[in-house]
Amino acid sequence: EKPIPPPAEPAQPRKHRHSATPPPTASEAELKQLFGFLDRSNKGVVSQRDVLFALKKHPQVRRLFHLPVNEAEQGASLQSRLANIQESFESGSGLGELKDIYAMLREGSSGTDQTFDWEAFSKCCTTGKLRSSAHAAAALLPRNHSTGEAFKPTKEWQVVPEGAACPGGLEFKMDIATGRTLGRLPPKK
């Protein structure tokens, strides 16, 4: 007969740790870019109409306001949700499902009208309830990777400096021994 193995010890429940680390914050430059998408007139204030236009045009603003970035995301019908928001706006009842977020932004604004300003926007996106969605929206912003001078290609392979801006249409390869990237103009055919 085979010996019976001893009973397994019961699994210990996992202890949940509540992280004292706050969620990441978008940088001030990223927040200014997001605010710039909203502030169509460059007056430093954003109206409901500005938000409506920005929602239709910029996926980053949709992410900020907790909407799907595109039709494929979350299986949601982005166009019908935007149409419902526009219908609410046109009927004079605010921004529909976004009214609470818009009201929160307006609360911190120095203006008395139906707008919000940079200070209120910045505060909500750095310390308020929009902190995590602002960080997610900032992740969708285009990145500028160029930190150095432009690379001037020739017909011969040459090392591409780290962070250099490269013109389109070049050939690239990596030197496995050094880990450096090489670039050149493609040979004429």
Side-chain angles (χ1 to χ4, degrees):
E1 284 184 32
K2 293 183 180 178
I4 300 174
E9 291 185 27
Q12 296 295 321
R14 288 186 173 190
K15 294 181 181 178
H16 295 285
R17 293 184 182 175
H18 294 286
S19 175
T21 306
T25 306
S27 71
E28 184 173 350
E30 291 168 331
L31 291 178
K32 284 185 177 182
Q33 194 171 357
L34 290 172
F35 187 78
F37 290 158
L38 292 161
D39 183 15
R40 294 181 308 137
S41 60
N42 293 322
K43 293 182 180 176
V45 293
V46 177
S47 68
Q48 290 180 357
R49 181 180 300 277
D50 293 331
V51 171
L52 187 58
F53 275 91
L55 286 170
K56 291 179 178 183
K57 187 173 181 181
H58 301 289
Q60 300 88 347
V61 175
R62 292 192 291 272
R63 174 73 72 214
L64 178 68
F65 281 86
H66 306 277
L67 291 174
V69 171
N70 55 41
E71 285 291 337
E73 186 178 82
Q74 301 171 353
S77 174
L78 175 62
Q79 292 307 317
S80 67
R81 288 178 76 181
L82 289 174
N84 290 338
I85 293 166
Q86 181 168 350
E87 187 176 311
S88 295
F89 171 75
E90 289 173 353
S91 69
S93 58
L95 291 174
E97 68 179 273
L98 305 180
K99 67 181 180 208
D100 293 338
I101 296 173
Y102 191 81
M104 178 180 54
L105 287 163
R106 269 194 24 245
E107 284 174 14
S109 186
S110 58
T112 56
D113 56 0
Q114 295 290 314
T115 62
F116 63 87
D117 58 18
W118 161 250
E119 288 77 23
F121 178 78
S122 177
K123 184 176 180 181
C124 282
C125 291
T126 55
T127 61
K129 293 183 179 180
L130 289 180
R131 182 179 180 143
S132 62
S133 64
H135 178 70
L140 297 176
L141 293 170
R143 302 287 181 219
N144 183 2
H145 296 288
S146 177
T147 58
E149 293 183 25
F151 175 64
K152 294 179 178 52
T154 64
K155 294 179 182 177
E156 302 298 318
W157 290 107
Q158 56 184 328
V159 174
V160 178
E162 188 73 30
C166 297
L170 300 182
E171 289 185 341
F172 295 97
K173 69 178 182 179
M174 179 181 267
D175 182 345
I176 300 298
T178 64
R180 293 185 147 182
T181 302
L182 304 170
R184 72 174 182 183
L185 292 169
K188 292 184 180 180
K189 293 183 179 184

